Amino acid sequence: MQRITVRDIAEMKTKGEKIPMVTTYDYPTARLAEAADIPVLLVGDSLGMVVLGYDSTIPVTMADMLHHVKAVARGAKKALIVADLPFMSYQVDAAQAMTNAGRMVQEGGAHAVKLEGGECVAETVRRVVACGIPVMGHIGLTPQSVNAIGGYRVQGRGLQEAAQLLRDARALQAAGAFALVLELVPAPLAGLVSRKLSIPTIGIGAGPECDGQVQVLHDMLGLYTDFVPKHAKQYAHLAQDAQAGLSAYAKEVREGAFPTEKESFSMGEAVLRELESL
Ligand code: KIV
């Protein structure tokens, strides 16, 4: 099985083929996404919220990320694995970014890293790329800056903000990023940025004109029922299925209906008789 590379992803844009990407956080989700022929798996720091139960991505550490990246790498034999660099693992300076990007690839088994920010991280991106590590940029809503932004809201609606977003996108492309996530950006602006860049844009809440789309696995598979972001579409309703299964199991255990002979193992009558006499 041949591994998908950043060259394949670039070629998909050239050919006008849309790029599906999804977050995966462990061995089973990586296997499921790969069986669905999804070429790019993102081990997103969203795992802090959807797997670890934090209320933002800010508490996520390099240790958390590496633990999950390794599990995804064990499950995905074909897809390109992109690992998020967590909050404060690349912002201090380029040396810190290179060290941590290197760990994601060398220890984690990722093939690329993603980091948040535009012009202000372009030099860092350039340095990491120069180490031979592909970098995916991430602009628009950058969740690691939620405290500075003041909430999870659409970015780039006004002229100045939109023009800055375009400058950020161009700076990341010039720095060598192989692709760019556009998060919570008005659809027409995401379309314009996608047309102006030669590298692929991957949208989340950024409309249909991006070169690819990324979704958080738990949102799209319906693993949570209390909150579904506007930009997410539920392609399955796993929470209901899982809850129904767990309730049926608990009921059968309480009633003595599980396990039956079918789920049990036998042994020789003679051994049993011997044991009974002890
Ligand atoms: O962490 C994540 O899941 C992400 C996506 C929302 C793009 O960065």
Side-chain angles (χ1 to χ4, degrees):
M1 199 182 301
Q2 202 150 16
R3 180 71 69 178
I4 297 190
T5 69
V6 290
R7 286 173 69 101
D8 298 316
I9 303 305
E11 217 174 282
M12 287 171 83
K13 172 152 182 158
T14 314
K15 291 184 183 157
E17 274 174 39
K18 293 278 189 184
I19 306 161
M21 169 163 134
V22 70
T23 64
T24 54
Y25 307 108
D26 53 21
Y27 180 77
T29 55
R31 286 182 55 131
L32 287 168
E34 196 156 85
D37 208 17
I38 297 184
V40 191
L41 306 186
L42 171 66
V43 189
D45 60 355
S46 53
L47 70 85
M49 299 172 82
V50 297
V51 178
L52 302 179
Y54 295 127
D55 64 1
S56 78
T57 58
I58 288 169
V60 177
T61 63
M62 274 298 293
D64 292 331
M65 288 303 303
L66 280 169
H67 178 76
H68 288 271
V69 172
K70 287 177 187 176
V72 168
R74 288 190 287 269
K77 306 288 175 230
K78 183 172 177 206
L80 179 83
I81 302 169
V82 182
D84 255 341
L85 286 178
F87 182 56
M88 292 317 292
S89 70
Y90 58 94
Q91 289 95 337
V92 175
D93 56 28
Q96 185 206 30
M98 290 187 282
T99 302
N100 286 324
R103 290 190 69 195
M104 290 298 189
V105 175
Q106 196 169 40
E107 291 175 42
H111 309 109
V113 296
K114 176 166 81 56
L115 53 84
E116 298 181 6
E119 282 183 324
C120 59
V121 294
E123 177 55 16
T124 298
V125 169
R126 195 186 66 72
R127 298 282 301 278
V128 175
V129 171
C131 296
I133 301 172
V135 176
M136 179 178 276
H138 182 158
I139 55 175
L141 177 78
T142 46
Q144 291 173 13
S145 305
V146 63
N147 290 324
I149 294 169
Y152 297 97
R153 49 163 133 255
V154 175
Q155 303 292 304
R157 279 202 166 116
L159 177 59
Q160 274 188 8
E161 255 199 346
Q164 180 60 50
L165 190 111
L166 181 57
R167 280 197 295 279
D168 288 336
R170 284 182 162 145
L172 291 167
Q173 174 171 277
F178 76 96
L180 202 57
V181 166
L182 297 175
E183 180 166 356
L184 291 197
V185 171
L189 174 60
L192 181 143
V193 171
S194 304
R195 287 191 298 279
K196 287 195 180 280
L197 293 192
S198 56
I199 58 170
T201 59
I202 312 286
I204 175 164
E209 290 184 64
C210 294
D211 302 302
Q213 296 293 327
V214 58
Q215 286 280 290
V216 170
L217 186 93
H218 290 56
D219 293 341
M220 60 167 300
L221 293 185
L223 274 154
Y224 288 111
T225 49
D226 41 355
F227 174 67
V228 184
K230 174 174 159 57
H231 58 73
K233 177 171 171 182
Q234 289 191 329
Y235 289 86
H237 301 281
L238 296 193
Q240 281 98 324
D241 278 0
Q243 267 153 18
L246 289 165
S247 300
Y249 162 72
K251 182 169 180 283
E252 287 197 358
V253 170
R254 285 192 185 102
E255 291 171 352
F258 176 88
T260 64
E261 209 179 299
K262 184 168 169 273
E263 294 91 17
S264 306
F265 303 91
S266 63
M267 65 188 284
E269 283 295 326
V271 180
L272 249 189
R273 268 199 305 276
E274 186 83 25
L275 280 171
E276 293 282 8
S277 69
L278 294 180

